[in-house]
Amino acid sequence: MPKEELYEGVKTLVESDVNHIHLSQQKLYTLFSIAFQYLLFKSTKEPGAYLIRIEDSILADKLAKKSKDASTRKFLQSLLIPRKLTYGKSTFYLDSFHIGSWSLTSDIPKTKLKAALICKNTSAKPMTELDENDEEENPHINLPEDYYLSSLTDFMPKTVTIAYDHDFDGLQKIEFPFIKKEPERMSGFTISSEVNLDDLED
């Protein structure tokens, strides 16, 4: 990823007065690099606790390997195992959408929390989904589908959510002009963005 684009992306987020941001474009690894570098910059200006909530460990591992800048990859790799890392006068925490991973972050005083980065995979796995039809042991039962996010926006001063092809109430979308929309792909071939699928006859 060109440094100019990374700088412009972070600058856009820094200059935004939106409290709860939704990055909904394609290019997951690019968006994660921008959002993470924004959190890193913010942590130097506003020391405190910063939360990174990634859908699951598989996605976290992919982001640690494929994010578009070396410093983001290195930081996330260092954060994966301890799930807590000090950077300057701030502390970064890592958890996932599974409530069982929130034990470390649930004890952080809300007054110390400054911002959160939430990253969703492209697949749909709501928190209300049952595990092997066992309702008693599933901590997600009866929770709102977007609880991984709504549980933070109630008190977190700033959130940046990365989720492609999703809509969330209370979040404002920000798009970067250097990320071009990719054409849709179907069964091994590409459909140009100039073709309107609704105009095609059966």
Side-chain angles (χ1 to χ4, degrees):
M1 179 181 184
K3 289 184 178 180
E4 295 79 9
E5 292 183 356
L6 181 59
Y7 173 80
E8 285 301 320
V10 172
K11 183 171 180 285
T12 298
L13 297 184
V14 169
E15 294 177 348
S16 170
D17 58 0
V18 177
N19 291 331
H20 301 297
I21 297 169
H22 179 197
L23 304 181
S24 61
Q25 292 171 283
Q26 294 168 313
K27 304 291 186 183
L28 171 65
Y29 303 121
T30 296
L31 292 176
F32 187 82
S33 286
I34 293 170
F36 177 78
Q37 289 299 321
Y38 163 70
L39 246 64
L40 214 57
F41 174 80
K42 187 175 176 64
S43 74
T44 64
K45 304 299 180 183
E46 297 179 47
Y50 288 81
L51 174 62
I52 300 174
R53 179 168 289 173
I54 300 172
E55 183 160 356
D56 52 39
S57 58
I58 296 173
L59 179 59
D61 187 60
K62 287 181 180 179
L63 291 167
K65 293 176 180 177
K66 297 183 179 182
S67 290
K68 293 301 182 178
D69 72 292
S71 62
T72 297
R73 292 193 299 270
K74 185 176 180 181
F75 195 106
L76 194 54
Q77 287 165 7
S78 300
L79 184 62
L80 284 177
I81 300 301
R83 298 196 299 120
K84 178 181 177 182
L85 195 63
T86 299
Y87 178 77
K89 296 181 179 179
S90 295
T91 304
F92 282 74
Y93 297 85
L94 175 68
D95 66 23
S96 69
F97 289 11
H98 191 282
I99 292 179
S101 70
W102 297 5
S103 57
L104 186 66
T105 53
S106 60
D107 295 332
I108 306 170
K110 290 182 171 58
T111 54
K112 290 187 176 181
L113 286 164
K114 300 298 181 181
L117 167 56
I118 302 98
C119 188
K120 189 177 187 335
N121 210 335
T122 53
S123 60
K125 291 188 290 186
M127 295 189 70
T128 50
E129 197 173 69
L130 294 179
D131 296 327
E132 298 179 0
N133 297 320
D134 191 347
E135 297 185 15
E136 293 183 3
E137 294 185 6
N138 181 21
H140 295 167
I141 191 68
N142 296 327
L143 290 176
E145 187 175 322
D146 64 346
Y147 190 67
Y148 59 88
L149 171 63
S150 61
S151 61
L152 295 175
T153 53
D154 289 341
F155 64 86
M156 190 73 72
K158 193 91 172 185
T159 64
V160 180
T161 302
I162 301 172
Y164 175 67
D165 201 24
H166 279 76
D167 290 306
F168 300 99
D169 293 333
L171 271 61
Q172 185 170 325
K173 291 183 180 181
I174 290 180
E175 295 189 348
F176 304 110
F178 51 82
I179 297 180
K180 306 301 181 185
K181 186 173 182 179
E182 293 184 347
E184 297 182 42
R185 297 182 179 276
M186 292 178 59
S187 302
F189 62 90
T190 300
I191 298 178
S192 170
S193 59
E194 297 177 359
V195 176
N196 187 346
L197 296 178
D198 295 331
D199 291 341
L200 300 178
E201 296 181 359
D202 293 335

